[in-house]
């Protein structure tokens, strides 16, 4: 079984033993089960009912008993945000966690052990399936991600959420899955969870500039949905600056987003907002010959991708005679 390592702790999911360094720590059996379940669903919001049924084996348990166990686990590192509470939703394990497989004597022993574990865990399922002649081309995490994309395109958001959650359980480090899950949750009006996943990407120290830009764009649209236009504009500018001279088509979209946000301001604030936005973009603006850097095929594909669709966001259209477009911000 796997061992989970977080902060200075090590937790064995098979024996339910917790150690800090080499020092064993006492942990009540039910608390150990809660910890095991949260670790196995790290960075995913799990409902109280899910945890209760996994730990007690039935749903007829008062929530205060679970709350006591959560409080007990938080005492392991009071200064850290080990477990985050999502009101009316559940809990999520937050700290960075590493999964370590047990050592084996040789590769063949490890392979045999893995095959045995898989056959025991999934024997009942496989017995009911037709014989397969080959291994699937894509591994489950990527396959689930692709299924989520198809579901998202057909606006089947609950189905997309299900596949993305599964994909992240298989590959918790997938930034693409986190971003698409955040976008899916936004379409479902689950703004708190959407913000959680987008913020995680922004705060990820190793994330590249494009992922940062996409997460910033999503946070900008989240702010718009909550009528926080100044915050939305700041997020949009941060996202645009991150990819200004890297992803030309995306930069054009971001700059139009900024223009829309400026137009959405009251007329009395538009001039000041435009001046502020222009000042922030001065050091990262797209060169005036940007269009020359896009070949005809790329330009056509960009046009197809940026046409307004059923899920596109247009805050408003210029109706007061104020012309604010890409060239004004360039």
């Amino acid at each position: 079984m796997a061992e989970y390592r977080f902060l200075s702790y090590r937790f064995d999911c098979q024996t339910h033993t917790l150690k800090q360094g080499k020092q064993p720590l006492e942990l009540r059996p039910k608390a150990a089960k809660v910890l095991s379940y949260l670790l196995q669903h790290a960075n995913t919001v799990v409902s109280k009912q899910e945890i209760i049924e996994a730990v007690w084996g039935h749903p007829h348990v008062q929530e205060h008993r679970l709350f006591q166990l959560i409080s007990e686990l938080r005492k392991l590192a009071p200064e850290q945000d080990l477990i985050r509470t999502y009101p009316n939703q559940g809990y999520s394990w937050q700290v960075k966690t590493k999964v370590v497989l047990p050592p084996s004597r040789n590769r063949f022993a490890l392979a045999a052990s893995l095959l045995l574990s898989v056959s025991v865990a999934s024997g009942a399922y496989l017995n009911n399936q037709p014989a397969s002649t080959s291994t699937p081309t894509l591994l489950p995490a990527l396959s689930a991600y692709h299924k989520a994309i198809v579901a998202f395109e057909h606006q089947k958001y609950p189905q997309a959420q299900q596949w993305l959650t599964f994909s992240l359980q298989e590959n918790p480090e997938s930034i693409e899955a986190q971003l698409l899950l955040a976008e899916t949750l936004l379409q479902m009006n689950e703004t708190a969870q959407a913000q959680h996943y987008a913020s995680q990407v922004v705060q990820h120290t190793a994330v590249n500039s494009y992922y940062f830009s996409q997460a910033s764009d999503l946070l900008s649209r989240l702010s718009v949905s909550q009528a926080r236009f100044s915050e939305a504009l700041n997020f949009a500018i941060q996202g645009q600056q991150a990819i200004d001279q890297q992803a030309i088509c995306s930069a054009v979209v971001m700059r139009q987003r900024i223009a829309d946000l400026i137009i959405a301001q009251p007329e009395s604030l538009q001039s000041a907002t435009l001046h502020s936005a222009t000042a922030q973009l001065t050091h990262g603006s797209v060169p005036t010959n940007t269009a020359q850097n896009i070949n005809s095929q790329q330009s056509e594909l960009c046009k197809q991708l940026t046409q307004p669709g059923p899920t596109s966001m247009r805050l408003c259209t210029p109706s007061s005679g104020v012309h604010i477009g890409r060239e004004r911000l360039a």
Side-chain angles (χ1 to χ4, degrees):
M1 290 292 289
E3 178 182 80
Y4 291 84
R5 297 182 181 179
F6 59 94
L7 303 178
S8 59
Y9 296 96
R10 293 184 300 159
F11 181 76
D12 189 315
C13 271
Q14 183 175 19
T15 62
H16 282 186
T17 54
L18 179 67
K19 294 181 180 180
Q20 188 172 28
K22 295 183 179 180
Q23 181 66 36
L25 299 177
E26 289 188 12
L27 201 60
R28 290 194 295 164
K30 286 289 191 293
K33 286 186 177 182
V34 172
L35 177 59
S36 178
Y37 192 82
L38 290 173
L39 287 170
Q40 292 177 57
H41 297 81
N43 299 315
T44 301
V45 179
V46 289
S47 70
K48 297 175 184 178
Q49 204 60 37
E50 285 180 67
I51 303 174
I52 288 173
E53 292 186 13
V55 173
W56 278 273
H58 59 83
H60 309 297
V61 176
Q62 293 183 343
E63 289 187 2
H64 76 88
R65 295 180 64 185
L66 174 60
F67 179 77
Q68 290 174 347
L69 297 175
I70 294 291
S71 298
E72 183 177 329
L73 293 174
R74 282 173 171 157
K75 291 177 182 178
L76 294 173
E79 71 287 353
Q80 298 282 342
D81 188 14
L82 280 181
I83 305 168
R84 184 170 298 174
T85 301
Y86 288 87
N88 302 319
Q89 296 179 58
Y91 299 101
S92 175
W93 183 262
Q94 294 293 303
V95 296
K96 186 176 181 180
T97 302
K98 182 179 180 181
V99 183
V100 180
L101 293 174
S104 63
R105 294 181 179 179
N106 54 58
R107 294 180 183 177
F108 296 105
L110 177 59
S113 174
L114 289 172
L115 287 173
L116 178 61
S117 298
V118 170
S119 64
V120 171
S122 58
Y125 170 79
L126 293 175
N127 287 336
N128 294 321
Q129 302 302 311
S132 175
T133 57
S134 63
T135 302
T137 304
L138 297 178
L139 288 177
L142 189 56
S143 182
Y145 177 70
H146 284 183
K147 288 180 180 294
I149 292 175
V150 173
F152 184 90
E153 288 179 343
H154 289 84
Q155 299 183 28
K156 297 179 179 178
Y157 301 123
Q159 185 178 343
Q161 180 188 15
Q162 184 180 37
W163 281 119
L164 289 166
T165 301
F166 174 83
S167 181
L168 283 170
Q169 289 171 347
E170 292 288 310
N171 179 18
E173 299 300 318
S174 173
I175 302 297
E176 293 93 340
Q178 291 181 48
L179 285 168
L180 186 55
L181 179 55
E183 187 69 52
T184 300
L185 291 166
L186 176 57
Q187 298 301 326
M188 296 170 65
N189 292 320
E190 299 286 350
T191 55
Q193 289 192 63
Q195 185 166 357
H196 164 70
Y197 284 105
S199 297
Q200 273 198 327
V201 175
V202 168
Q203 295 165 11
H204 199 294
T205 55
V207 73
N208 68 33
S209 56
Y210 191 86
Y211 291 147
F212 177 89
S213 174
Q214 191 170 339
S216 296
D217 175 66
L218 199 150
L219 288 169
S220 175
R221 286 180 285 124
L222 272 168
S223 298
V224 169
S225 71
Q226 298 165 359
R228 300 201 302 267
F229 290 102
S230 177
E231 182 179 293
L233 181 60
N234 287 333
F235 277 127
I237 290 174
Q238 290 174 23
Q240 192 273 334
Q241 288 176 326
I243 55 166
D244 211 2
Q245 300 182 44
Q246 173 187 334
I248 298 173
C249 181
S250 300
V252 168
V253 173
M254 294 294 290
R255 295 171 79 79
Q256 185 58 50
R257 187 96 72 208
I258 294 169
D260 289 341
L261 285 164
I262 293 173
I263 296 171
Q265 303 291 314
E267 288 190 24
S268 59
L269 298 177
Q270 283 183 359
S271 177
T273 304
L274 174 60
H275 183 271
S276 174
T278 303
Q280 292 184 63
L281 291 169
T282 298
H283 299 293
S285 58
V286 177
T288 55
N289 63 344
T290 293
Q292 299 174 10
N293 297 328
I294 308 180
N295 59 42
S296 58
Q297 182 182 17
Q298 185 180 1
S299 177
E300 177 58 31
L301 291 174
C302 178
K303 182 179 179 181
Q304 292 180 35
L305 290 171
T306 54
Q307 292 297 323
T311 59
S312 64
M313 183 203 75
R314 295 289 296 180
L315 294 175
C316 58
T317 55
S319 58
S320 58
V322 180
H323 180 68
I324 303 177
R326 297 167 198 155
E327 64 277 6
R328 276 292 294 275
L329 291 172

